Amino acid sequence: MESGDEEEDNIEEEEEKVKSSKGRRAAKVARLVIAPLVKKKNWSWSAYLEEERTIAAPLKLFKEHQSFPQSRNGFKVGMKLEGLDPCHPALFCVLTVAEVQGYRIRLHFDGYPECYDFWVNADSWDVKPPGWCEKTSLKLLLPKGCRDGEFNWNTYVKNCRGQLAPKHLFKSLNTSVTPSGFRAGMKLEAVDRKNPSLICVATIAAAVDNRLLIHFDNWDDSYDYWCDASSPYIHPLGFCEEAELTLTTPADYKPPKVFTWEKYLEETGAQAAPARAFKQRPPHGFHVGMKLEAVDKRNAMLIRVSTISDVEDHRIKIHFDGWSEEYDYWLDADSPDLHPVGWCQKIGHPLQHPNDSPVLPGQGCPTPGCSGVGHIRGPRYGTHYTAVSCPYSDLNLNKDGLVPDRLNGESLKEIFFIKVKSQPRLPKTARSNTPSHIYVTMWKY
Ligand SMILES: [Zn+2]
């Protein structure tokens, strides 16, 4: 390991020592740090909009799942359910509700460390009641130690003294399904969401309700994503040719082997997704300067006062008010992490205001603007005191995907994690051997 990493590790260890010696005090600090942010009395959206001479993004621009919910969040801590792994969208997993905050829930993968916990809204399509996978013939990834064929939800919750999340809490079960013309196994041309400059040969791996699971032929399933017929990221066969764009073909199609859809459909015995089934939604109506409330991806427990700083047809760039522009990032306009002004107040979630009371020098994190809430290692720790652990420090600013892969790393006691930023897309076989992956540091659980 390089000396820089050693230093990083030492600082981390130092911090852990401080943390463990503080014990309950650390938890108390966490509450104290959050408290002034939440309870600041004088801040209001109406006064702020007036002061900034700007407008709130109109409610009509938001999708139903971004707007004010019609019912309350009935999930309780300890309830167990099935849900999509955001890092492995092809997999439904056994999850437990770890925290409830307003209309949001923090979900924990049974049998895995807390650093993989993630937040969803209570009406998310990505969460399903126990037994849903069996009913829909989708694979459910079992908790570590459970064997295929031996898993039974009732026995499982009894053994871990948990509780099955009742069906009526899952709003997505009531969505009306319209026949779309898409079926599992059909081929199409799709944008690789992790490398958006690539349009690739893809297959509908699953079609459930109005949702399609897009899988790229010959690539591993970490690139998969769910979308619907209105997605701007999926296209019928021949789209690239017509638009004079390059279609990225499966890895075994290298010159002199020529790719044609006709031949490929014959070889794979597959059907093309019918062109009439693609119903691309119109561009969103958001404008630069409009205000809204957005989940901060670097610290997903927090929702911040935000401004739209740039727009594309189907995406908007989010700026967190009071923060440097270097924290801005792009999101799909229909992201469930975007909400209209007043959403937090309505659902009972703290809203992080701009220029909130700063932490006194020497008491918090050294990163300007950061109050020490959250941790680069995920929700396992509520607070941090150093730049090394700060999700907003220069060190960590672009460390998306910092946490080691949950499933690849599971058998290792000490897990190396891989810097994947700007990594070119590699086929499944090449990924594990490639020397271009940079091993940055080591994690210990
Ligand atoms: Zn910080």
Side-chain angles (χ1 to χ4, degrees):
M1 191 187 282
E2 286 174 21
S3 58
D5 291 343
E6 240 168 50
E7 196 185 334
E8 182 173 309
D9 225 34
N10 287 342
I11 297 169
E12 287 278 11
E13 273 171 22
E14 279 300 306
E15 189 172 10
E16 295 323 309
K17 274 183 211 159
V18 172
K19 279 183 132 15
S20 55
S21 70
K22 281 181 178 171
R24 282 183 187 169
R25 208 182 127 207
K28 201 174 170 188
V29 170
R31 281 195 295 276
L32 288 172
V33 171
I34 296 169
L37 300 182
V38 181
K39 289 186 180 162
K40 195 170 176 183
K41 286 171 209 150
N42 302 329
W43 198 94
S44 79
W45 262 117
S46 55
Y48 184 64
L49 290 172
E50 204 170 302
E51 187 186 308
E52 294 276 302
R53 296 176 182 208
T54 187
I55 57 157
L59 196 56
K60 63 177 183 193
L61 300 181
F62 292 88
K63 305 277 179 206
E64 195 184 334
H65 66 270
Q66 300 172 310
S67 203
F68 302 104
Q70 300 301 315
S71 53
R72 53 181 282 280
N73 176 4
F75 288 102
K76 300 264 182 305
V77 171
M79 284 182 175
K80 294 197 181 283
L81 47 93
E82 300 177 1
L84 279 179
D85 176 351
C87 297
H88 296 272
L91 294 176
F92 278 92
C93 303
V94 172
L95 302 167
T96 303
V97 178
E99 192 176 344
V100 176
Q101 181 69 265
Y103 201 58
R104 305 174 76 215
I105 49 176
R106 174 160 66 87
L107 293 169
H108 176 75
F109 290 97
D110 282 26
Y112 291 89
E114 275 184 336
C115 63
Y116 299 107
D117 289 9
F118 62 100
W119 288 87
V120 294
N121 293 332
D123 61 353
S124 172
W125 186 87
D126 300 351
V127 293
K128 303 292 178 195
W132 186 83
C133 282
E134 197 180 354
K135 219 169 141 188
T136 45
S137 305
L138 284 174
K139 185 145 178 67
L140 176 69
L141 190 76
L142 301 178
K144 250 191 277 186
C146 293
R147 281 197 209 150
D148 229 357
E150 288 175 10
F151 181 81
N152 174 290
W153 262 114
N154 289 323
T155 321
Y156 179 69
V157 287
K158 205 171 156 194
N159 288 345
C160 44
R161 295 180 183 183
Q163 181 191 355
L164 297 172
K167 267 191 195 141
H168 71 266
L169 299 182
F170 296 83
K171 304 286 175 292
S172 70
L173 295 180
N174 305 325
T175 46
S176 56
V177 179
T178 42
S180 68
F182 287 116
R183 280 203 311 277
M186 286 176 166
K187 301 284 181 195
L188 71 167
E189 301 182 4
V191 174
D192 174 357
R193 304 293 309 279
K194 290 190 178 172
N195 303 276
S197 60
L198 302 180
I199 303 180
C200 314
V201 168
T203 305
I204 298 172
V208 186
D209 299 344
N210 293 322
R211 312 275 295 165
L212 310 169
L213 177 62
I214 305 299
H215 173 76
F216 295 97
D217 290 28
N218 244 0
W219 304 93
D220 73 60
D221 63 15
S222 62
Y223 298 98
D224 290 12
Y225 57 87
W226 288 87
C227 66
D228 64 22
S230 76
S231 168
Y233 301 112
I234 55 171
H235 305 286
L237 273 54
F239 169 83
C240 283
E241 196 181 350
E242 199 171 306
E244 297 184 349
L245 296 168
T246 306
L247 175 68
T248 303
T249 54
D252 51 336
Y253 274 87
K254 291 219 173 85
K257 206 174 168 189
V258 179
F259 178 91
T260 67
W261 268 116
E262 197 183 359
K263 198 169 76 182
Y264 189 63
L265 289 179
E266 204 180 294
E267 279 170 13
T268 52
Q271 267 188 316
R276 65 182 153 73
F278 294 83
K279 296 187 165 54
Q280 189 172 318
R281 55 182 172 259
H284 62 75
F286 292 105
H287 293 300
V288 170
M290 286 175 171
K291 302 276 181 197
L292 71 175
E293 300 180 1
V295 173
D296 183 349
K297 69 168 182 180
R298 295 185 179 86
N299 204 347
M301 67 189 280
L302 303 181
I303 299 183
R304 297 188 185 281
V305 167
S306 312
T307 306
I308 297 170
S309 61
D310 202 355
V311 290
E312 286 177 355
D313 278 359
H314 298 285
R315 297 198 304 169
I316 60 175
K317 197 176 192 184
I318 288 299
H319 172 76
F320 295 120
D321 289 25
W323 288 78
S324 153
E325 284 169 12
E326 61 182 347
Y327 297 105
D328 293 10
Y329 55 87
W330 288 94
L331 274 173
D332 279 336
D334 67 342
S335 163
D337 287 345
L338 299 173
H339 301 289
V341 160
W343 192 82
C344 279
Q345 191 182 17
K346 177 108 180 186
I347 62 136
H349 194 290
L351 175 66
Q352 309 303 314
H353 310 141
N355 309 317
D356 261 314
S357 31
V359 177
L360 296 172
Q363 285 193 354
C365 166
T367 307
C370 181
S371 55
V373 180
H375 199 286
I376 191 67
R377 288 191 185 180
R380 187 181 175 194
Y381 308 103
T383 54
H384 62 270
Y385 308 93
T386 64
V388 175
S389 308
C390 176
Y392 306 97
S393 66
D394 287 344
L395 280 167
N396 296 328
L397 192 56
N398 294 311
K399 280 189 182 169
D400 268 358
L402 184 76
V403 174
D405 184 273
R406 183 174 67 90
L407 301 175
N408 282 345
E410 67 177 3
S411 60
L412 301 171
K413 239 183 175 179
E414 293 181 329
I415 304 163
F416 288 99
F417 69 89
I418 296 167
K419 193 173 181 178
V420 289
K421 194 188 147 202
S422 308
Q423 201 56 224
R425 217 161 66 109
L426 297 164
K428 198 177 191 174
T429 45
R431 282 181 80 78
S432 50
N433 306 328
T434 176
S436 61
H437 282 159
I438 307 158
Y439 293 93
V440 192
T441 188
M442 206 164 66
W443 281 46
K444 302 180 187 96
Y445 289 110

